[in-house]
């Protein structure tokens, strides 16, 4: 049985322990679900802006006023969408053997806010080592392992054109400047590219290559 991949990606205000999560997106089979701290912008307004750029993908945006509300909403979504389902959570550099960004960052934020870890009984695989270890991603003599380049090399699709940013660091300034529509569009582009690479890996790599791990904590309170 092949598990159904759900790709996810987060945006934050930086890399420090006191930085916060601003956006979390999930690419599910029917489309994309995004949770975002939106300031004064309404969900319908953001969905309309994204739909204009991504007409072929259903994007649902849930807006919140704080990081705590965002993580609580993510937890509810994970409980409803992931529990008792044949789902494999995937990310690109989300958490690898030595490092990764998204999952360690989320663990810290959930812990500091005293919230329960939501990914109980959820299997996870990181797409990045699959792509960099099992495919040739050398461009002009240089090994390129980033999401942008590997997607262009292996998928040659249009999701990269959706991204309004030249660098992911622009997601920080976009949030600070209130350009939430651009932030959401960037997140949508990233989760769709991650999903596309995950599907390429499914086509050309063995199950054992995925190195699936459980995100269930050792102890649940």
């Amino acid at each position: 049985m092949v598990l159904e991949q759900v790709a996810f990606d987060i945006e934050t205000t930086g890399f420090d322990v006191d930085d916060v999560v601003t956006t979390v997106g999930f690419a599910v089979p029917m489309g994309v679900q995004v949770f975002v701290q939106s300031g004064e912008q309404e969900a319908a307004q953001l969905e309309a802006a994204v739909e204009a750029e991504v007409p072929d993908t259903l994007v649902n945006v849930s807006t919140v006023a704080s990081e705590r509300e965002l993580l609580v909403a993510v937890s509810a979504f994970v409980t409803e969408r992931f529990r008792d389902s044949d789902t494999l959570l995937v990310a690109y550099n989300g958490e690898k053997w030595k490092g990764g960004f998204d999952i360690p960052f989320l663990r810290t934020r959930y812990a500091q806010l005293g919230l329960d870890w939501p990914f109980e009984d959820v299997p996870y695989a990181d797409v990045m080592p699959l792509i960099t270890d099992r495919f040739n991603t050398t461009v002009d003599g240089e090994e390129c392992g980033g999401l942008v380049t590997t997607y262009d090399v292996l998928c040659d699709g249009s999701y990269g054109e959706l991204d309004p940013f030249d660098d992911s660091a622009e997601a920080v300034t976009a949030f600070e400047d209130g350009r939430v529509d651009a932030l959401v569009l960037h997140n949508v582009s990233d989760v769709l590219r991650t999903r596309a690479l995950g599907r390429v890996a499914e086509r050309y790599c063995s199950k054992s290559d995925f190195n699936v791990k459980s995100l269930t904590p050792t102890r649940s309170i």
Side-chain angles (χ1 to χ4, degrees):
M1 179 183 66
V2 177
L3 298 176
E4 176 185 85
Q5 290 189 27
V6 173
F8 94 107
D9 182 63
I10 71 172
E11 314 300 337
T12 70
T13 57
F15 299 99
D16 291 343
V17 294
D18 55 353
D19 281 308
V20 303
V21 181
T22 62
T23 315
V24 180
F26 296 89
V28 296
M30 297 300 293
V32 177
Q33 170 66 54
V34 180
F35 301 91
V36 62
Q37 294 190 55
S38 64
E40 298 180 355
Q41 296 190 48
E42 300 291 336
Q45 176 185 358
L46 294 171
E47 287 175 352
V50 173
E51 183 180 359
E53 301 294 333
V54 199
D56 297 330
T57 301
L58 176 64
V59 178
N60 183 67
V61 180
S62 297
T63 57
V64 297
S66 69
E67 183 192 37
R68 175 179 285 275
E69 290 181 30
L70 187 151
L71 297 182
V72 168
V74 167
S75 295
F77 174 78
V78 170
T79 299
E80 179 181 351
R81 179 64 181 78
F82 286 65
R83 299 286 170 83
D84 302 320
S85 67
D86 298 323
T87 298
L88 176 65
L89 185 70
V90 299
Y92 201 90
N93 194 34
E95 179 164 86
K96 303 178 297 181
W97 179 54
K98 287 187 177 181
F101 175 69
D102 304 73
I103 292 178
F105 197 100
L106 283 176
R107 281 199 189 95
T108 298
R109 298 310 302 156
Y110 270 94
Q112 289 189 339
L113 291 171
L115 298 172
D116 290 339
W117 181 241
F119 297 107
E120 188 169 344
D121 298 326
V122 175
Y124 168 79
D126 201 288
V127 176
M128 185 177 186
L130 265 171
I131 297 300
T132 57
D133 293 347
R134 296 294 181 262
F135 294 86
N136 177 15
T137 58
T138 302
V139 178
D140 295 330
E142 182 177 349
E143 176 63 30
C144 299
L147 174 64
V148 173
T149 302
T150 55
Y151 172 78
D152 289 342
V153 168
L154 295 173
C155 302
D156 192 27
S158 60
Y159 294 145
E161 299 172 4
L162 304 177
D163 195 344
F165 304 149
D166 293 325
D167 189 287
S168 291
E170 294 181 53
V172 176
T173 55
F175 178 74
E176 293 172 347
D177 296 341
R179 293 183 288 119
V180 183
D181 52 346
L183 179 63
V184 170
L185 192 58
H186 167 71
N187 185 263
V188 169
S189 175
D190 275 359
V191 294
L192 290 176
R193 283 183 283 193
T194 299
R195 183 176 68 180
L197 286 167
R199 288 176 173 174
V200 168
E202 278 185 334
R203 291 183 62 192
Y204 296 103
C205 299
S206 69
K207 290 182 180 180
S208 61
D209 287 333
F210 274 76
N211 195 24
V212 176
K213 62 177 286 185
S214 172
L215 293 180
T216 302
T218 305
R219 177 181 297 177
S220 298
I221 298 177

